């Protein structure tokens, strides 16, 4: 299938993807969600499964916040100006670990207060320095030193900093001060950032594979990872690097930042297409991993024109 072909020519691919989203084993248990596939020009095809979730439904995006935060941070500093310590806080090898998973949602909380003992209680663990430990504390430390006085809402909010840097329109919320997991947004709002990655319109676009570290269970220097799929995975600057074996060699297939409640944004390795699967299930477990598995299945159906089991 050629991406960008006229919509009429894609009917078989759209039908295969739709059937897969509705019936595939990896998608059926996920409840209501919205998904779309697109390229640098915008959405090609998208659909709601069930009711209640559309392209414009705003929801907590949890760890999908990480990709946005690092996008804005690199945009503000310039990649060439990042120090080794900054890079370690962005690829989660700095040793700064939060002890609490609270989202710092109390009104008036600052980024600095979110870092402190009343909320995240971030501490430096020397033994974890240089090891991959998937945790928001690394980014909270970076934000403490950079935008510590900002709040979630009001005149000097986190989104007042982030949106102009990325050209996005994410809404303000009190929990935005938890930069690694507190943002909210919709598929339409996140799409803008993914398209900028495809179109080289943000500094991070050309840096999606740099400073990456092993991030799969049992990988070298991996202390903690939520990754559950078979095989290798890596973590770059604020996002996952997905791949699969090709002729015996691990090969990058895409980049993503799955949120714990199920929001899953993705771009392919060639940066010619994007996908968003938007849903929010706050009482489940490993919802981001479940969305990733479903999204991969839907993409395969869309690319091949064959519904996946």
């Amino acid at each position: 299938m050629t991406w960008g072909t006229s919509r009429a020519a894609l009917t078989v691919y759209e039908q295969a993807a739709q059937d897969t989203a509705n019936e595939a084993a990896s998608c059926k248990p996920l409840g209501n969600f919205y998904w779309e596939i697109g390229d640098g020009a915008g959405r090609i095809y998208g659909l709601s499964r069930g009711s209640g979730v559309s392209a414009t439904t705003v929801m907590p995006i949890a760890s999908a916040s990480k990709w946005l935060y690092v996008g804005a941070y690199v945009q503000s500093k310039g990649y060439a100006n990042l120090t080794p310590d900054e890079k370690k806080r962005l690829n989660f090898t700095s040793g700064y670990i939060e002890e609490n998973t609270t989202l710092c949602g109390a009104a008036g909380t600052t980024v600095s207060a979110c870092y402190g003992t009343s909320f995240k209680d971030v501490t430096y663990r020397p033994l974890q320095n240089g090891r991959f430990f998937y945790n928001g504390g690394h980014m909270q430390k970076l934000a403490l030193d950079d935008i510590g006085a900002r709040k979630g809402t009001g005149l000097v909010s986190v989104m007042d900093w982030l949106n102009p840097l990325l050209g996005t329109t994410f809404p303000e919320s009190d929990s935005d001060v938890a930069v690694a997991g507190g943002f909210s947004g919709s598929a339409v709002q996140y799409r803008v950032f993914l398209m900028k990655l495809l179109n080289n319109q943000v500094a991070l676009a050309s840096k999606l594979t740099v400073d990456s570290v092993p991030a799969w269970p049992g990988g070298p220097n991996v202390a903690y990872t939520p990754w559950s799929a078979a095989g290798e995975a890596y973590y770059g600057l604020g996002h996952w690097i997905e791949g699969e074996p090709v002729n015996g060699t691990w090969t990058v297939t895409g980049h993503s930042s799955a949120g714990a409640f199920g929001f899953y944004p993705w771009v392919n390795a060639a940066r010619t297409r994007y996908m968003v699967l938007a849903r929010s299930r706050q009482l489940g477990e490993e919802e981001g991993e479940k969305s990733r598995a479903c999204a991969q299945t839907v993409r395969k159906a869309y690319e091949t024109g064959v519904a996946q089991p």
Side-chain angles (χ1 to χ4, degrees):
M1 188 194 85
T2 302
W3 287 82
T5 313
S6 70
R7 182 180 171 86
L10 296 182
T11 304
V12 63
Y13 303 104
E14 294 172 359
Q15 189 64 53
Q18 181 177 338
D19 290 345
T20 299
N22 289 336
E23 300 297 336
S26 59
C27 298
K28 203 166 185 177
L30 299 191
N32 298 336
F33 60 85
Y34 170 83
W35 64 273
E36 72 175 49
I37 288 173
D39 59 17
R43 188 185 91 149
I44 297 174
Y45 185 65
L47 200 68
S48 294
R49 192 192 102 155
S51 61
V53 185
S54 71
T56 57
T57 302
V58 174
M59 64 188 72
I61 63 173
S63 284
S65 306
K66 293 176 172 61
W67 212 356
L68 300 173
Y69 174 70
V70 71
Y73 192 85
V74 173
Q75 195 72 16
S76 69
K77 302 294 183 182
Y79 176 78
N81 299 319
L82 296 182
T83 66
D85 280 346
E86 286 174 303
K87 291 177 181 178
K88 289 174 77 172
R89 293 170 194 174
L90 292 173
N91 69 10
F92 294 175
T93 60
S94 72
Y96 283 91
I97 310 298
E98 62 184 37
E99 305 296 338
N100 298 322
T101 57
T102 171
L103 277 181
C104 307
T109 305
T110 62
V111 169
S112 176
C114 182
Y115 177 92
T117 54
S118 297
F119 291 98
K120 293 291 188 187
D121 192 17
V122 180
T123 58
Y124 175 64
R125 300 189 195 174
L127 295 179
Q128 300 301 342
N129 190 342
R131 306 186 73 206
F132 177 75
F133 197 118
Y134 186 83
N135 183 277
H138 311 274
M139 287 182 172
Q140 201 65 35
K141 169 61 175 169
L142 205 56
L144 169 77
D145 295 343
D146 184 44
I147 56 171
R150 289 187 178 270
K151 298 179 181 180
T153 58
L155 291 176
V156 189
S157 72
V158 172
M159 285 304 149
D160 283 341
W161 169 80
L162 183 142
N163 281 326
L165 288 166
L166 297 181
T168 48
T169 58
F170 288 97
E172 292 184 353
S173 60
D174 289 319
S175 63
D176 289 344
V177 293
V179 296
F183 301 167
S184 294
S186 67
V188 165
Q189 289 163 338
Y190 214 105
R191 172 205 299 162
V192 174
F193 173 65
L194 299 178
M195 288 172 60
K196 287 179 182 291
L197 291 176
L198 301 190
N199 293 322
N200 280 313
Q201 293 173 323
V202 287
L204 187 63
S206 62
K207 304 297 180 185
L208 291 179
T209 57
V210 303
D211 304 306
S212 60
V213 294
W216 68 93
N221 286 316
V222 174
Y224 169 72
T225 178
W227 189 263
S228 64
E232 298 179 15
Y234 293 79
Y235 202 79
L237 298 175
H239 65 277
W240 293 96
I241 301 172
E242 303 182 11
E244 60 188 37
V246 177
N247 298 324
T249 302
W250 190 88
T251 305
V252 177
T253 56
H255 309 270
S256 63
S257 190
F261 306 141
F263 195 97
Y264 176 80
W266 173 92
V267 299
N268 69 333
R271 287 190 296 118
T272 55
R273 72 192 75 158
Y274 75 84
M275 182 175 186
V276 181
L277 194 156
R279 68 187 189 93
S280 180
R281 179 180 286 172
Q282 298 189 38
L283 298 178
E285 293 183 0
E286 298 185 345
E287 298 300 327
E289 289 289 274
K290 293 173 184 175
S291 289
R292 179 175 54 77
C294 172
Q296 287 178 335
T297 308
V298 172
R299 280 201 307 273
K300 185 175 181 181
Y302 191 73
E303 291 165 1
T304 61
V306 178
Q308 302 297 304

